[in-house]
Amino acid sequence: MSDPETGDWALWCREIAGCTSTGDTQEEALENIKEAIQLYLQPDLIKLAPSVMAITAIQ
């Protein structure tokens, strides 16, 4: 969707709450929303304390 005042493009992914993006052109907005979806789906790395890893290794 293009903003009539600024000409900027705004896109959102309805399936992912809060996943929105903008761009100066439609192509830029599409690239940006693709990146936003990829980042949303990327697993978070969890850093565990050494003591937790030691307990897990013993079990």
Side-chain angles (χ1 to χ4, degrees), residues 2-56:
S2 179
D3 184 320
E5 290 183 23
T6 65
D8 291 345
W9 284 81
L11 299 175
W12 57 93
C13 179
R14 290 188 245 180
E15 290 80 11
I16 303 174
C19 188
T20 62
S21 187
T22 62
D24 293 331
T25 64
Q26 184 177 10
E27 293 79 20
E28 182 181 15
L30 284 170
E31 288 301 316
N32 291 342
I33 196 67
K34 288 177 188 178
E35 181 181 9
I37 293 168
Q38 289 172 345
L39 290 171
Y40 179 87
L41 297 174
Q42 186 176 25
D44 291 332
L45 298 177
I46 300 173
K47 293 185 179 182
L48 299 175
S51 60
V52 173
M53 290 190 289
I55 292 169
T56 303

